[in-house]
Amino acid sequence: MACAPRALSRAQLQLNSRASPFPPPLLTVGPPPMEEEQTYLELYLDQCTAQDDLAAPRSPLLSPVVPDDGYIPNTSNSETVFNAHLQEVKGASGHFSSVDLSFLPDELTQESKDQSVIRSKQDIEENGKTQSQQSRLSLPREQDIGLGLISDSTLSKSHSQAYPGDADSDQPSPEKPNSTPLMSITPMTPVTPVSECSGIVPQLQNIVSTVNLACKLDLKKIALHAKNAEYNPKRFAAVIMRIREPRTTALIFSSGKMVCTGAKSEEQSRLAARKYARVVQKLGFPARFLDFKIQNMVGSCDVRFPIRLEGLVLTHQQFSSYEPELFPGLIYRMVKPRIVLLIFVSGKVVLTGAKERSEIYEAFENIYPILKGFKKA
Amino acid sequence: MPGGGHCPDCGSTELVEDSHYSQSQLVCSDCGCVVTEGVLTTTFSDEGNLREVTYSRSTGENDQVSRSQQRGLRRVRDLCRVLQLPSTFEDTAVAYYQQAYRHSGIRAARLQKKEVLVGCCVLITCRQHNWPLTMGTVCALLYADLDVFSGTYMQIVKLLGLDVPSLCLADLVKTYCSSFRLFQASPSVPPKYVEDKEKMLSRTLQLVELADETWLVTGRRPLPVITAATFLAWQSLQPSHRLTCSLARFCKLANVDLPYPASSRLQELLSVLLRMAERLAWLQVLKLDKRSVVKHIGDLLQHRHTLVRKAFRDGTAEMEAGEKELRERCQGPEQGKEEVASSSLDLPEGKRPASPTPLLPPCMLKPPKRICPPPPVSTVTGDENISDSEIEQYLRTPQEIKDFEKAQAARQAARSVSNPP
């Protein structure tokens, strides 16, 4: 069985930490040179044929030199798992109809699915490989993915159940199963040499998410019955509730909408939101848990060298805004991905405005070479 | 024809109303003497006053413009005149204000914001012509808060899609230094404190350039650095008489406000100069401190380029090299100073001055306030079971609810008693 073609976005290749649940599938970071692609492709194919019988999917984010190392799902195996999961999702509670699929990248929506398949086909043919089987294989998977990616955690849970004896996975499943199916439909990008990656991983500092509890709430009653709630209608028209684990704060409005802030990861944010919903339930309201969506993610990191902000604002005028009289940092509005970065003279960088973890990683990988250019000024 | 009119020359009553080049005149038809003249310009509604009317009022252009916009445009013009800007700036600023007013968000904004918008338009115009106007000056003139100003400024730059160049530091130095009242003797300025403008300007410029090179300007407000540099320049030109004068007194003498960060900028600049002095052969023996180094600022500035290169080194590149050397030599007695990256010098400690310090912004040189431990890898999946006991810890028991309600009622009663109905 030939391996399904996989493409790794640069950010994912270089990171030894969790991948985002929803990596942008058709992202190519600039047009790669043809010859490089060719040789990497040959390497990849050789390794592929050698490891064809490996069943256990390990973390796909091992060293970039061997991109496919753990990333060889048995296509049949994973498909059955997906189908099983699909039923699980469908059976789960009719949330299906109210699920918000807006987080999916545009290419994965029904309309442009054909286009994406065609595009991936073209890319693959450029590489000189006949990938027709794989693309056909990938098409049904796309549909599975579209539905299967509704809740990353349930998917991962099912996968961890499916591979109980997976001793190789050093990290729990959240990242692997999601990345593998998506990888299989995207065109392959050449492996980037280790020297180009920054080696720095931005840490997530705050996640803001919203959820709809779908019932009208009596805020006075909530403030009375809950210890961890504060309600001052003259100041703000919502109850401010806090829980200790995960340490988060929620704004609960009388319409039933809730905003949850302060979590350090997507899963923690979801767990916290569920806890708040459970508190509201225990207070006697018929709260549900609809349309959980992550609205904003904030990350930060340190490049460890000083940056000449005046030089940066000169060369990247159309993206940067540097007003030392107002704020000591430079505000860089990156277009792709749409992230705002605050860059300080000490080398600390704050990234915000992301809806997905991969956007933060990608934005940092984009800015790092620019900042390195201003290192020796 | 008009009754009661006599020609002063011939006494005839035959006076004719005629207009000569649209100037109305009362002329005697017999001798041609002009009895009375009208005003050549158009008059406003009540003719008794016979006032001139400006062009903008005689045309209908302001009928289309709302009154608040007219007020704003007047404020823009007034501000440009107060700042004594060239007339072309006025037109540009007015154009920006009109452009901003086309957006509904600005039309519906509060008056405070519209007032601040006036300052923003003038500031943008000045920046685009490299005219050194600081936001502090504009806010002071408009009696506006810098926070409100900053919000409106960022919004309008984004809204109009403008490309605003950075503040030009050299021009700001010249303008700001010229405002210091030290160039002529006066009752408040003793003769020893009077200084030549050109000398002070050139030295201040050199000091500001030095500060810029050594990371003291990036990310900081520009004006305090210039204040500190001006003070040092002034002191160093006649150190014997001026060393006793403090920064605060200096600003008072010069009739200039002392910005709060200026004293810390002064200390940073002095430490940079001290480091440079350690590399100058004839100053090494002197064992200078922050006061005595002022006397030698002239020399230091003369050789500043080489001195900066020698006294500092690129912080990061050499840090790794330095650390490697440190590891190699850790057994030896050569401990050197307790710096993160020790020197790569081979000479013994006694002969050579301190190893070159890394050229880094002050925020990177200070030790971190608290070391953030890396966050533990959490294995949360988001779908764990939530135990009832965990949720119940956040709920009040019925008894607690009753107590809470009682307490609230008591508080409410106390409040209503204290507030007279």
Side-chain angles (χ1 to χ4, degrees):
Chain A
M1 175 191 39
C3 307
R6 270 170 244 111
L8 299 163
S9 85
R10 239 169 113 192
Q12 287 148 347
L13 266 183
Q14 292 145 13
L15 296 167
N16 271 330
S17 65
R18 294 181 192 171
S20 129
F22 316 112
L26 294 178
L27 171 78
T28 47
V29 187
M34 275 290 276
E35 299 125 17
E36 234 183 22
E37 248 187 317
Q38 206 69 354
T39 41
Y40 281 131
L41 216 46
E42 281 158 19
L43 252 178
Y44 171 88
L45 282 176
D46 291 343
Q47 283 157 353
C48 231
T49 50
Q51 295 168 5
D52 233 352
D53 42 5
L54 269 180
R58 284 185 274 143
S59 163
L61 304 175
L62 294 178
S63 76
V65 182
V66 189
D68 59 321
D69 212 14
Y71 183 36
I72 305 147
N74 278 323
T75 37
S76 52
N77 214 345
S78 32
E79 267 189 30
T80 51
V81 171
F82 266 172
N83 289 328
H85 166 68
L86 257 184
Q87 279 146 25
E88 187 188 293
V89 168
K90 275 195 181 135
S93 65
H95 284 190
F96 213 79
S97 50
S98 47
V99 163
D100 168 25
L101 290 177
S102 60
F103 59 74
L104 290 175
D106 288 343
E107 292 93 327
L108 274 186
T109 53
Q110 284 287 357
E111 305 82 64
S112 50
K113 222 178 273 191
D114 300 328
Q115 281 181 339
S116 62
V117 173
I118 291 166
R119 225 183 300 149
S120 65
K121 263 194 186 160
Q122 284 171 348
D123 283 2
I124 289 158
E125 272 156 21
E126 266 177 32
N127 299 349
K129 248 169 83 170
T130 48
Q131 289 283 330
S132 46
Q133 317 164 291
Q134 272 86 359
S135 355
R136 260 185 274 125
L137 249 181
S138 57
L139 180 51
R141 190 161 303 151
E142 272 188 81
Q143 289 163 341
D144 294 349
I145 290 153
L147 303 169
L149 279 176
I150 288 157
S151 53
D152 50 317
S153 32
T154 48
L155 178 59
S156 61
K157 202 156 126 192
S158 69
H159 263 261
S160 59
Q161 285 161 4
Y163 302 107
D166 191 6
D168 289 329
S169 68
D170 41 344
Q171 276 173 351
S173 32
E175 74 279 15
K176 321 196 288 299
N178 301 320
S179 30
T180 39
L182 220 43
M183 300 307 171
S184 60
I185 59 161
T186 49
M188 202 178 92
T189 49
V191 171
T192 51
V194 185
S195 60
E196 267 186 47
C197 78
S198 63
I200 305 170
V201 181
Q203 293 291 336
L204 286 182
Q205 302 291 348
N206 183 25
I207 313 264
V208 177
S209 56
T210 53
V211 75
N212 186 8
L213 302 176
C215 65
K216 294 276 169 265
L217 303 173
D218 180 357
L219 298 183
K220 271 198 161 5
K221 183 181 174 199
I222 294 178
L224 180 62
H225 287 248
K227 276 190 231 180
N228 56 345
E230 60 183 81
Y231 179 49
N232 197 344
K234 290 186 193 140
R235 242 178 80 211
F236 192 56
V239 163
I240 303 168
M241 195 182 282
R242 289 170 228 269
I243 57 172
R244 282 183 279 273
E245 182 55 46
R247 207 156 75 84
T248 49
T249 305
L251 301 173
I252 306 175
F253 294 85
S254 54
S255 60
K257 300 260 171 69
M258 182 171 83
V259 180
C260 173
T261 62
K264 299 276 187 205
S265 78
E266 304 93 317
E267 296 86 13
Q268 282 186 14
S269 190
R270 191 190 157 80
L271 181 61
R274 282 178 56 225
K275 287 191 183 174
Y276 287 114
R278 189 69 85 76
V279 170
V280 171
Q281 258 180 1
K282 281 237 186 286
L283 292 173
F285 299 96
R288 293 162 74 199
F289 194 74
L290 306 178
D291 308 332
F292 175 77
K293 182 176 178 195
I294 298 207
Q295 301 289 353
N296 186 27
M297 299 171 75
V298 180
S300 71
C301 58
D302 189 1
V303 300
R304 310 193 92 82
F305 52 81
I307 301 167
R308 287 272 174 210
L309 301 178
E310 311 96 349
L312 183 56
V313 77
L314 277 178
T315 49
H316 290 76
Q317 225 161 19
Q318 59 271 53
F319 306 114
S320 331
S321 157
Y322 171 55
E323 293 290 338
E325 297 172 86
L326 295 178
F327 188 63
L330 186 148
I331 304 169
Y332 192 101
R333 292 181 195 271
M334 197 177 279
V335 170
K336 185 166 178 5
R338 225 176 119 242
I339 301 282
V340 174
L341 297 94
L342 301 177
I343 303 167
F344 294 90
V345 68
S346 57
K348 303 236 176 9
V349 180
V350 174
L351 307 100
T352 181
K355 290 268 196 290
E356 300 166 9
R357 192 187 278 253
S358 63
E359 286 179 9
I360 293 206
Y361 294 154
E362 191 191 330
F364 182 68
E365 292 302 318
N366 287 350
I367 201 81
Y368 188 71
I370 297 171
L371 295 181
K372 259 175 78 169
F374 286 93
K375 196 169 161 180
K376 317 235 183 220
Chain B
M1 258 125 36
H6 289 279
C7 170
D9 272 346
C10 61
S12 144
T13 49
E14 307 266 317
L15 297 176
V16 180
E17 250 194 58
D18 192 11
S19 59
H20 178 69
Y21 294 119
S22 78
Q23 181 184 32
S24 56
Q25 293 173 336
L26 211 56
V27 188
C28 168
S29 55
D30 286 342
C31 65
C33 156
V34 175
V35 180
T36 57
E37 272 185 326
V39 185
L40 199 56
T41 53
T42 55
T43 60
F44 206 51
S45 51
D46 64 333
E47 301 192 306
N49 278 344
L50 298 183
R51 270 185 325 217
E52 302 186 353
V53 182
T54 56
Y55 173 73
S56 56
R57 283 169 92 188
S58 64
T59 62
E61 65 179 31
N62 278 344
D63 297 343
Q64 306 285 334
V65 173
S66 68
R67 223 177 297 170
S68 70
Q69 190 177 349
Q70 283 178 36
R71 197 183 313 135
L73 294 172
R74 266 200 301 274
R75 292 284 290 154
V76 171
R77 292 205 166 89
D78 291 342
L79 191 59
C80 290
R81 268 176 228 145
V82 163
L83 291 168
Q84 294 172 348
L85 301 175
S87 52
T88 47
F89 287 31
E90 202 171 308
D91 300 331
T92 320
V94 162
Y96 280 140
Y97 196 86
Q98 285 168 334
Q99 211 179 335
Y101 232 82
R102 283 192 210 122
H103 294 262
S104 56
I106 300 292
R107 274 201 303 272
R110 290 178 200 276
L111 285 177
Q112 186 195 31
K113 192 160 181 181
K114 286 175 177 157
E115 177 74 5
V116 163
L117 184 64
V118 167
C120 291
C121 293
V122 173
L123 180 74
I124 293 172
T125 312
C126 288
R127 283 274 193 97
Q128 290 183 331
H129 290 93
N130 282 326
W131 188 277
L133 180 65
T134 58
M135 295 188 183
T137 314
V138 177
C139 287
L141 286 172
L142 294 176
Y143 304 109
D145 201 8
L146 190 65
D147 300 327
V148 182
F149 187 88
S150 80
T152 314
Y153 175 77
M154 302 300 282
Q155 184 193 359
I156 203 69
V157 167
K158 203 170 168 191
L159 205 57
L160 299 180
L162 295 173
D163 189 15
V164 186
S166 319
L167 191 59
C168 180
L169 218 56
D171 293 333
L172 181 62
V173 168
K174 287 190 199 120
T175 322
Y176 187 57
C177 281
S178 315
S179 71
F180 281 71
R181 297 264 153 275
L182 291 166
F183 311 123
Q184 286 166 340
S186 75
S188 54
V189 180
K192 298 280 187 203
Y193 286 5
V194 177
E195 189 50 70
D196 172 47
K197 189 168 171 183
E198 286 314 313
K199 272 200 261 176
M200 210 161 108
L201 265 180
S202 69
R203 194 161 274 200
T204 310
L205 259 173
Q206 289 175 347
L207 277 169
V208 169
E209 271 170 25
L210 176 67
D212 199 7
E213 211 180 311
T214 53
W215 293 103
L216 298 182
V217 170
T218 311
R220 271 95 172 270
R221 296 217 180 129
L223 212 64
V225 184
I226 302 176
T227 313
T230 314
F231 176 62
L232 274 182
W234 173 80
Q235 263 194 338
S236 66
L237 285 167
Q238 265 192 46
S240 45
H241 303 288
R242 295 174 184 170
L243 264 179
T244 51
C245 183
S246 69
L247 178 62
R249 191 160 158 242
F250 169 74
C251 289
K252 216 163 163 189
L253 285 173
N255 201 18
V256 166
D257 287 328
L258 172 64
Y260 173 71
S263 33
S264 65
R265 298 295 157 265
L266 180 65
Q267 297 305 313
E268 286 168 0
L269 204 48
L270 282 170
S271 61
V272 164
L273 289 165
L274 268 175
R275 286 258 172 268
M276 285 164 65
E278 283 165 9
R279 292 287 161 170
L280 208 51
W282 59 93
L283 293 182
Q284 280 167 10
V285 292
L286 284 179
K287 286 212 191 15
L288 297 169
D289 68 355
K290 282 194 172 167
R291 287 184 69 83
S292 41
V293 75
V294 179
K295 296 184 222 154
H296 308 280
I297 284 182
D299 289 337
L300 291 172
L301 286 178
Q302 207 174 354
H303 305 279
R304 66 183 183 278
H305 296 299
T306 32
L307 286 177
V308 167
R309 240 181 299 128
K310 278 164 75 183
F312 302 97
R313 51 187 172 69
D314 185 13
T316 47
E318 307 233 7
M319 231 195 291
E320 292 110 60
E323 275 170 359
K324 250 192 245 164
E325 299 232 13
L326 188 62
R327 262 179 264 128
E328 288 165 16
R329 296 202 254 153
C330 67
Q331 284 88 15
E334 178 77 343
Q335 290 300 325
K337 304 235 160 128
E338 265 85 19
E339 280 164 16
V340 175
S342 68
S343 75
S344 42
L345 299 174
D346 293 323
L347 297 175
E349 267 300 301
K351 291 224 178 114
R352 274 294 193 129
S355 49
T357 48
L359 183 57
L360 293 174
C363 54
M364 286 180 86
L365 290 173
K366 284 186 255 183
K369 287 184 223 174
R370 45 194 153 94
I371 301 147
C372 302
V377 178
S378 98
T379 54
V380 173
T381 62
D383 275 304
E384 285 108 343
N385 281 330
I386 303 169
S387 64
D388 279 350
S389 57
E390 188 184 350
I391 300 299
E392 262 148 36
Q393 71 175 310
Y394 295 119
L395 303 179
R396 290 200 173 111
T397 61
Q399 182 58 40
E400 282 177 346
I401 292 173
K402 280 194 210 123
D403 294 338
F404 187 69
E405 275 183 313
K406 259 191 260 173
Q408 266 199 319
R411 182 158 60 121
Q412 206 57 24
R415 231 188 247 155
S416 60
V417 163
S418 64
N419 295 344

